[in-house]
Amino acid sequence: EIVVSLEEQPKNWLPVSARSTMIQARDVLADRHDQQPAHITIEPIGPTRRRGPLTGDRFMSSLETMTQELAAGPAKGAGFTDRLKASSFNTFEPMRPDAGSGGAYPKQIYVYGYWELGAHEALVVELDLPECRYWNLHLCNHWSESLDYAYHRTSINSRTAQIDGNGQLRVVIAHTDPGEPNWLDTAHHGHGTMVFRFLHCDSAPVPKTHLQDFSS
């Protein structure tokens, strides 16, 4: 049980400001096929505020806010991808200094990259895994939206990956199955972003990458 409020609470307190408008929860599942997602409910404490009838001014204000969000979201994602393309083309960036900002969990490390593959190319990602509670790698599109994980294997994590005897991870990102155990499917996309998350990690690793041709 978590209390979200302006005034400090004795335990499990999530502070907000008078301008706060959203709560975001992330449920980390190592394998969604055999784990039960959390069931989260929100209940107001104390008297609830009653709203009057919908006025034209309030409707127009809400409509303006919605259109601003619709315009800002894709532009922000595309701008982020363009920056990664310039700095991390088929590679990964070291840990970003602002990884704990923007609503991210402060004990979670993010390592970003941009991928772009031809029809018969594959990007091989290799990493000596550090000690951590949980890690995952997932592929995104040009707007940093997760690829279609319902029908394609577009992510891998500390439970689903096959690791060699030396604790090294090898992931192959390709359009078609190259016969590798840790294959990530591009889901018919030619380029996008890729993100490693490391939770409660003892170091900030940067994966190594190289292109491989599977045309033969």
Side-chain angles (χ1 to χ4, degrees), residues 77-78 81-82 84-85 89-90 113-119 121 123 139-147 173 175 185-194:
T81 298
D82 289 340
L84 280 179
K85 182 177 182 179
F89 191 91
N90 283 334
Y114 172 88
W115 62 271
E116 183 172 317
L117 299 174
E121 287 183 324
L123 184 65
L139 303 181
C140 300
N141 63 17
H142 184 79
W143 294 274
S144 293
E145 299 170 317
S146 296
L147 297 186
I173 302 170
H175 301 303
D185 189 349
T186 60
H188 311 297
H189 288 259
H191 70 278
T193 61
M194 48 191 176

Side-chain angles (χ1 to χ4, degrees), residues 9-164:
Q9 303 296 315
K11 61 179 181 179
N12 293 342
W13 175 49
L14 181 62
V16 293
S17 72
R19 299 179 58 188
S20 299
T21 59
M22 181 182 70
I23 296 175
Q24 181 175 343
R26 172 170 286 151
D27 189 12
V28 178
L29 300 178
D31 190 341
R32 66 172 59 90
H33 299 293
D34 61 11
Q35 289 183 301
Q36 184 68 32
H39 178 65
I40 302 174
T41 60
I42 299 178
E43 177 185 353
I45 300 175
T48 57
R49 184 177 61 180
R50 297 179 64 88
R51 280 196 170 187
L54 179 63
T55 64
D57 288 343
R58 185 152 64 88
F59 174 77
M60 291 304 297
S61 176
S62 298
L63 186 62
E64 182 180 356
T65 299
M66 181 186 70
T67 54
Q68 289 174 350
E69 289 291 329
L70 289 174
K76 182 178 180 180
F80 177 69
T81 298
D82 289 340
R83 290 193 297 273
L84 280 179
K85 182 177 182 179
S87 62
S88 306
F89 191 91
N90 283 334
T91 62
F92 285 91
E93 290 187 3
M95 182 187 71
R96 297 168 63 94
D98 60 344
S101 65
Y105 183 50
K107 293 186 179 180
Q108 185 163 253
I109 297 171
Y110 289 85
V111 183
Y112 299 89
Y114 172 88
W115 62 271
E116 183 172 317
L117 299 174
H120 302 290
E121 287 183 324
L123 184 65
V124 180
V125 181
E126 295 176 323
L127 173 67
D128 291 323
L129 289 169
E131 290 293 328
C132 60
R133 183 175 178 181
Y134 171 86
W135 64 263
N136 83 334
L137 167 64
H138 75 273
L139 303 181
C140 300
N141 63 17
H142 184 79
W143 294 274
S144 293
E145 299 170 317
S146 296
L147 297 186
D148 187 1
Y149 53 82
Y151 297 99
H152 304 268
R153 190 189 190 191
T154 62
S155 67
I156 196 167
N157 62 39
S158 50
R159 179 170 174 177
T160 60
Q162 292 189 31
I163 313 299
D164 71 13

